């Protein structure tokens, strides 16, 4: 199997899905043309120049894509390659089209129908206070883990790395300059060109600061970075969205899409052979050195972003619904961005499976675990010499992506002598990829805190109340910043995979409720119920397996009573929300469809 075959097939499937299924969702399910004719978007109705800001469709797309496409589409498919290339490829394509794109579109629509409120507030109006409390609690739990966990990845990428710190840091003033220029002049094209050139110049200039006094100043240890990152996130969450967050995410998207666009071109030119078998039978029933569980349910837990991810619900009910200019922009911004992220994940999978299996497992396993596999490395020593560092035992997926992309690009004549430079560039690229999600995720955490605790103190719910914004932003940054600084997050990071997909199930539950109200035909609700049924069963199966075989198993290396209790609590929250939703669906089914649609205003 050649990589080009996979890429061409995937692109064709995703384009057809966007054109046909995306149009069906926009026209028949969500009725976006009718919504544009009936009412303005929240960005226009509640415009305040800070959070609610009508934004150009492509800027919004850039922000949304940058926010949702963090470490997940890069790392998840690489780790899942343990099972062979086919399980991950099938889940990415089917999950993204049937599940992820639908989930992102209906969550964004549901939030916009409620003036851009968080999913917990939407749940309160659609499912009642019990479901709203469970949803809000689950969202606060998941977003805290996500921000601290993602920050850890960035922290280790930038630790003692002045080039990385400079290149990432320079994007902040550049983005603010672009935001101000666009705000004053309204000229997006000029701001984009200048901003993109400056970012590229910053990346190229980065290596020259190493060994200088300025480079020494930017050579930061982990504890210092653990303080700087939450402080930066505070400003990203508290400043007006047009000044820092939106332009930075928009410009970063060019880098993200550009790198993976170049990877697609490189794959077409080099046409690397996929070295992995379709299925690795030794690990599909469990016991693998990277993912301990069986291929199902863990293929759908390991690969979240890229297929379907609950983290997208935070963005789709956080920053993005307050920026959408027209209702019909939901199709390219939500449905389209999900499919683009799927392609990114497929390219990451190709980068991994283009390596020799022995090289892949040597990078992603501890030396002891790799020795037990009885495999031999093939090109690993040569690759290590080319990039200038030892590659064995560098688990987590990030190094594998950098090595895989470097392996492909160095087959191009003009890249043959740039392996070490390109390797470091990809590591930097991954850090920028993740930081954009931290920007938006912290702002979403601020909204969640304002919604959740606003019931106790009403002014806190107002997003235009400056003291409330500052308090909620500071609290969000303090909580995940403390976990980052103390390192406690490492003990519960394994919960993220299950809890993230549980969040996606909650998003589909709320989406199904909305569709049942507005759709002209009852069976249209299957667009949400089919992916929901699969995902909910998968989440509970994975959660049960982890509790019984890992967290509450004294013989397991990862034995943790805390993780076991937290897993059980999360699954109970999901069950309560599901039972509440089923009761609501039964009630809605008894009401004539015409009355429901009229009541909902479509």
């Amino acid at each position: 199997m050649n990589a080009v075959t996979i890429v061409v097939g995937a692109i064709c499937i995703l384009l057809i899905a966007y054109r046909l299924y995306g149009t069906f969702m926009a026209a028949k399910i969500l009725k976006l043309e009718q919504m544009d004719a009936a009412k303005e978007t929240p960005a226009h109705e509640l415009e305040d120049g800070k959070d609610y800001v009508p934004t150009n469709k492509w800027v919004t797309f850039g922000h949304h894509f940058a926010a949702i496409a963090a470490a997940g589409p890069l790392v998840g498919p690489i780790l899942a390659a343990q099972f062979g290339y086919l399980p991950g490829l099938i889940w990415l394509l089917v999950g993204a089209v049937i599940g992820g794109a639908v989930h992102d579109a209906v969550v964004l629509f549901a939030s916009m129908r409620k003036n851009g409120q968080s999913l917990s507030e939407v749940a309160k109006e659609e499912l009642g206070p019990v479901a709203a409390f469970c949803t809000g609690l689950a969202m606060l739990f998941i977003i805290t883990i996500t921000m601290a966990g993602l920050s850890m990845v960035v922290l280790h990428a930038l630790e003692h790395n002045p080039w990385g710190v400079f290149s990432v840091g320079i994007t902040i003033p550049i983005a603010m300059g672009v935001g101000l220029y666009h705000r004053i002049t309204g000229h997006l094209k000029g701001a984009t060109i200048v901003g993109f050139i400056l970012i590229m110049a910053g990346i190229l200039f980065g290596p020259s600061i190493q060994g200088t006094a300025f480079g020494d100043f930017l050579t930061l240890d982990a504890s210092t970075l653990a303080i700087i990152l939450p402080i930066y996130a505070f400003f990203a969450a508290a400043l007006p969205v047009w000044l820092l967050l939106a332009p930075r995410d928009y410009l970063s998207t060019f880098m993200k899409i550009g790198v993976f666009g170049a990877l697609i071109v490189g794959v077409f030119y080099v046409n690397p052979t996929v070295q992995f078998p379709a299925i690795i039978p030794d690990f599909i029933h469990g016991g693998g050195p990277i993912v301990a569980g069986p291929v199902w349910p863990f293929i759908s837990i390991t690969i979240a972003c890229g297929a379907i991810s609950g983290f997208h619900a935070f963005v789709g009910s956080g920053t993005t619904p307050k920026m959408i200019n027209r209702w019909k922009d939901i199709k390219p911004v939500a449905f389209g961005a999900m499919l683009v992220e799927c392609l990114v994940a497929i390219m990451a999978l190709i980068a991994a499976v283009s390596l020799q299996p022995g090289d892949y497992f040597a990078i992603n396993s501890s030396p002891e675990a790799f020795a037990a596999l009885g495999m031999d490395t093939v090109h690993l020593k040569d690759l290590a010499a080319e990039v200038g560092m030892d590659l064995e035992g560098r688990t987590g997926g990030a190094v594998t992506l950098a090595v895989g992309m470097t392996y492909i690009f160095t087959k191009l004549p003009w890249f043959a002598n740039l392996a070490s430079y390109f390797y470091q560039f990809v590591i930097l690229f991954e850090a920028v990829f993740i930081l954009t999600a931290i920007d938006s995720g912290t702002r979403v955490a601020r909204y969640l805190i304002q919604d959740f605790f606003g019931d106790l103190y009403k002014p806190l719910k107002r997003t235009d109340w400056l003291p409330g914004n500052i308090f909620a932003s500071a609290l969000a940054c303090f909580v995940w910043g403390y976990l980052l600084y103390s390192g406690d997050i490492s003990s519960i990071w394994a919960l993220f995979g299950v809890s993230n997909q549980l969040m996606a199930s909650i998003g589909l539950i709320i989406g199904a409720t909305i569709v049942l109200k507005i759709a002209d035909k009852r069976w249209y609700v299957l667009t949400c119920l089919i992916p929901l049924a699969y995902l909910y069963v998968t989440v509970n199966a994975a959660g049960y397996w982890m509790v019984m075989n890992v967290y509450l198993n004294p013989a397991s290396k990862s034995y943790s009573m805390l993780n076991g209790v937290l897993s059980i609590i999360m699954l109970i929250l999901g069950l309560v929300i599901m039972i509440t939703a089923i009761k609501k669906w039964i009630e809605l089914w008894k009401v004539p469809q015409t009355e429901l649609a009229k009541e909902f205003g479509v």
Side-chain angles (χ1 to χ4, degrees):
M1 172 71 74
N2 291 327
V4 168
T5 305
I6 296 176
V7 175
V8 171
I11 291 175
C12 289
I13 290 172
L14 296 175
L15 287 174
I16 292 170
Y18 180 78
R19 180 67 181 87
L20 298 181
Y21 198 38
T23 300
F24 172 75
M25 287 294 301
K28 298 294 185 180
I29 307 296
L30 304 180
K31 305 178 182 179
L32 299 183
E33 291 282 357
Q34 293 173 242
M35 291 299 300
D36 270 321
K39 62 178 298 184
E40 292 183 319
T41 65
H44 286 282
E45 286 188 348
L46 304 173
E47 183 175 2
D48 60 8
K50 297 178 181 178
D51 296 302
Y52 290 87
V53 180
T55 307
N56 177 277
K57 174 174 63 178
W58 298 116
V59 175
T60 308
F61 172 91
H63 155 72
H64 187 79
F65 175 76
I68 66 173
L74 305 180
V75 175
I78 290 172
L79 301 181
Q82 169 194 273
F83 300 115
Y85 73 82
L86 190 59
L89 181 62
I90 292 175
W91 168 238
L92 281 168
L93 290 172
V94 175
V97 173
I98 304 299
V102 172
H103 168 274
D104 291 8
V106 296
V107 166
L108 179 56
F109 178 83
S111 178
M112 289 175 64
R113 286 289 307 183
K114 302 299 181 183
N115 293 325
Q117 292 180 317
S118 70
L119 211 58
S120 61
E121 290 296 299
V122 177
K124 180 185 294 185
E125 295 195 35
E126 299 299 336
L127 300 176
V130 175
F133 176 81
C134 292
T135 301
L137 192 59
M139 292 178 75
L140 283 172
F141 176 79
I142 295 167
I143 198 70
T144 300
I145 294 176
T146 302
M147 292 303 97
L150 291 178
S151 297
M152 271 194 170
V153 178
V154 175
L155 183 148
H156 292 303
L158 300 182
E159 183 181 7
H160 302 300
N161 184 358
W163 176 17
V165 172
F166 173 78
S167 299
V168 171
I170 200 68
T171 63
I172 298 171
I174 292 173
M176 295 180 73
V178 168
L180 285 168
Y181 180 82
H182 181 231
R183 183 78 171 178
I184 295 171
T185 67
H187 296 155
L188 178 62
K189 185 176 180 179
T192 301
I193 293 172
V194 173
F196 184 71
I197 291 173
L198 289 175
I199 286 178
M200 290 300 100
I203 293 172
L204 294 174
F205 182 74
S208 64
I209 71 169
Q210 297 184 104
T212 67
F214 185 51
D216 293 340
F217 175 74
L218 295 180
T219 303
L220 306 174
D221 58 23
S223 59
T224 304
L225 285 167
I227 296 173
I228 292 174
L229 285 174
I231 292 174
Y232 159 72
F234 167 79
F235 288 101
L239 289 173
V241 70
W242 58 265
L243 180 59
L244 176 56
L245 187 143
R248 189 179 187 278
D249 289 355
Y250 171 66
L251 292 172
S252 297
T253 296
F254 282 96
M255 182 178 175
K256 295 173 181 179
I257 295 178
V259 168
F260 276 93
L263 179 58
I264 293 173
V265 173
V267 166
F268 272 91
Y269 184 89
V270 176
N271 193 16
T273 301
V274 174
Q275 303 293 339
F276 275 51
I279 295 175
I280 299 179
D282 292 347
F283 304 134
I284 59 173
H285 300 296
I290 301 168
V291 180
V295 66
W296 186 86
F298 283 94
I299 192 69
S300 301
I301 299 300
T302 305
I303 301 178
C305 296
I308 180 171
S309 169
F311 178 69
H312 296 190
F314 293 108
V315 182
S317 65
T319 52
T320 303
K322 300 174 178 64
M323 299 166 62
I324 293 286
N325 186 41
R326 296 181 299 176
W327 288 91
K328 63 182 180 182
D329 290 350
I330 288 176
K331 179 186 172 184
V333 170
F335 202 96
M338 179 67 247
L339 298 187
V340 174
E341 184 182 11
C342 175
L343 183 59
V344 168
I346 289 172
M347 298 310 300
L349 177 64
I350 287 173
V353 299
S354 295
L355 298 172
Q356 292 288 338
D359 296 343
Y360 165 85
F361 282 104
I363 296 172
N364 284 283
S365 309
S366 66
E368 297 79 14
F370 180 70
L373 295 176
M375 293 182 174
D376 295 320
T377 60
V378 181
H379 302 302
L380 192 62
K381 289 184 178 179
D382 293 336
L383 288 169
E386 288 179 356
V387 303
M389 66 173 54
D390 181 25
L391 298 175
E392 293 186 32
R394 290 184 173 267
T395 59
V399 169
T400 305
L401 176 63
V403 171
M405 290 181 67
T406 302
Y407 175 75
I408 292 172
F409 271 90
T410 50
K411 299 297 181 182
L412 301 174
W414 54 91
F415 271 102
N417 298 318
L418 299 175
S420 60
Y421 184 91
F422 189 77
Y423 172 85
Q424 293 294 344
F425 173 76
V426 175
I427 293 293
L428 168 66
F429 156 74
E430 292 178 277
V432 173
F433 222 114
I434 296 166
L435 269 177
T436 51
I438 294 173
D439 293 353
S440 299
T442 304
R443 198 177 191 92
V444 170
R446 176 198 125 193
Y447 296 148
L448 287 172
I449 290 171
Q450 289 182 272
D451 283 341
F452 196 74
F453 294 105
D455 291 330
L456 301 176
Y457 186 62
K458 296 298 182 183
L460 195 59
K461 279 186 176 289
R462 290 170 41 204
T463 58
D464 61 347
W465 188 48
L466 184 60
N469 292 349
I470 293 175
F471 167 76
S473 299
L475 179 60
C477 294
F478 174 78
V479 171
W480 70 254
Y482 172 77
L483 293 174
L484 175 66
Y485 188 82
S486 65
D488 291 344
I489 190 65
S490 61
S491 64
I492 56 174
W493 173 248
L495 290 173
F496 173 68
V498 172
S499 60
N500 181 57
Q501 298 301 59
L502 179 62
M503 189 68 243
S505 299
I506 295 171
L508 286 169
I509 287 171
I510 294 174
T513 308
I514 299 293
V515 171
L516 199 57
K517 287 184 175 183
I518 67 174
D520 294 329
K521 299 178 181 180
R522 299 277 193 186
W523 68 266
Y524 285 172
V525 76
L526 292 176
T527 56
C528 292
L529 290 185
I530 289 175
L532 171 60
Y534 171 80
L535 198 61
Y536 187 73
V537 171
T538 298
V539 163
N540 281 273
Y544 177 81
W545 194 95
M546 290 297 295
V547 169
M548 298 304 296
N549 293 281
V550 180
Y551 297 144
L552 300 186
N553 178 11
S556 171
K557 293 181 180 178
S558 300
Y559 171 76
S560 170
M561 182 65 70
L562 174 63
N563 286 4
V565 171
L566 290 174
S567 295
I568 293 170
I569 291 173
M570 290 298 298
L571 295 178
I572 291 174
L573 289 174
L575 179 61
V576 171
I577 296 169
M578 177 62 80
I579 292 173
T580 305
I582 292 173
K583 290 181 178 179
K584 183 66 174 182
W585 296 340
I586 294 173
E587 292 176 10
L588 293 175
W589 199 271
K590 297 177 181 178
V591 180
Q593 192 69 28
T594 53
E595 292 186 21
L596 284 177
K598 183 178 180 181
E599 178 184 343
F600 209 70
V602 292

